[in-house]
Amino acid sequence: MAQSIPDKAAKADNYTILRLLMINQQNEILLAKYKTGWLTPSLRYNENQSIKGALDSLAREFGYEIAAPQLRAMVTFLFDFKPVVSVRTHYAAHISAGKLKLPEDIAEAKWVSRKEAEKLMSLPETQAVDAIKTTTMQILNHPETIWGGSFLVPKTSTTCKMTEPFYPIGMSK
C-alpha cells in the first residue's frame, strides 16, 4: 500500500520552476536568450537542495554571486492539456560579485533596463508563454509587493488566460 502512493505522485509530475531576476548596480536585470526567447534565468527545481542553494547555483552558472534572494511572486500554471499544476516562483537578488559568463545551453545574455526587458520578452518570435513576461513585469512595476496569481496554459498557444488576477501575498523588504 505505501509503495503505491509514490508511484501515483511520480505520474503527476508536479514541479516548480524557479526564476531569478538578477539586478546589477545600475538597476538593470539580466535576461538570457533561451530557445523560447528572452527570459529571466530559470531552473526546474527537482534537485535535492535548498531553494537558496538552487538560486545560488543558477547565479553561478551565469558567473555571479548574489546577495540574499527575496521572493517576489508565486504563481500557478494550470494546463488545459494535462491534469497537473506547476508552481512558478520568482525571486529577485542583487549581484554581489562576478562577471557575466554564458552557461552551455544559453546563446546570449545581457543586462537590460526594465523597458528593454519588456520589449525583448515581447518579440514576435518568442515561444515562451506570455505569463512569464506578465509576471516579470508585475514584479518590476511593483517591487514592494510579493505577488500571487494563476494562469491557464494552453497547449496550442503562448497566450495564457489569467484565472486568478495578481493579488498581494506579502510585502518585500
Side-chain angles (χ1 to χ4, degrees):
M1 180 76 164
Q3 290 187 356
S4 65
I5 293 169
D7 291 341
K8 288 181 183 178
K11 289 180 184 176
D13 193 27
N14 288 3
Y15 58 90
T16 298
I17 298 292
L18 304 179
R19 300 203 81 80
L20 180 59
L21 283 80
M22 285 190 269
I23 304 163
N24 67 13
Q25 290 184 346
Q26 291 75 37
N27 215 28
E28 298 168 315
I29 64 167
L30 183 67
L31 288 187
K33 189 172 186 182
Y34 291 91
K35 293 176 186 175
T36 56
W38 287 97
L39 304 167
T40 55
S42 66
L43 60 88
R44 183 174 172 150
Y45 185 62
N46 56 2
E47 296 294 324
N48 189 13
Q49 62 183 344
S50 69
I51 292 171
K52 184 177 181 327
L55 293 171
D56 286 341
S57 177
L58 178 58
R60 279 193 304 274
E61 285 184 26
F62 284 88
Y64 294 107
E65 292 178 28
I66 55 173
Q70 301 289 314
L71 179 65
R72 290 293 184 254
M74 181 177 280
V75 298
T76 55
F77 279 14
L78 310 162
F79 301 92
D80 72 358
F81 55 95
K82 58 184 176 179
V84 298
V85 174
S86 178
V87 177
R88 307 300 167 111
T89 57
H90 296 248
Y91 293 83
H94 286 86
I95 59 166
S96 56
K99 182 178 178 182
L100 181 61
K101 72 174 187 177
L102 293 178
E104 225 175 83
D105 58 338
I106 302 297
E108 189 177 349
K110 61 183 174 180
W111 292 100
V112 297
S113 67
R114 186 201 67 75
K115 186 176 180 179
E116 182 70 5
E118 185 171 23
K119 180 181 164 188
L120 287 172
M121 293 171 68
S122 301
L123 290 172
E125 62 268 18
T126 300
Q127 298 172 13
V129 294
D130 64 355
I132 299 169
K133 177 191 80 168
T134 301
T135 305
T136 301
M137 296 316 299
Q138 181 74 9
I139 295 164
L140 292 174
N141 290 331
H142 306 281
E144 70 287 350
T145 305
I146 302 168
W147 297 100
S150 188
F151 295 89
L152 178 63
V153 179
K155 185 173 188 172
T156 58
S157 171
T158 60
T159 304
C160 298
K161 178 183 177 189
M162 188 172 249
T163 57
E164 285 182 339
F166 289 119
Y167 53 90
I169 57 175
M171 301 302 289
S172 62
K173 289 184 179 180

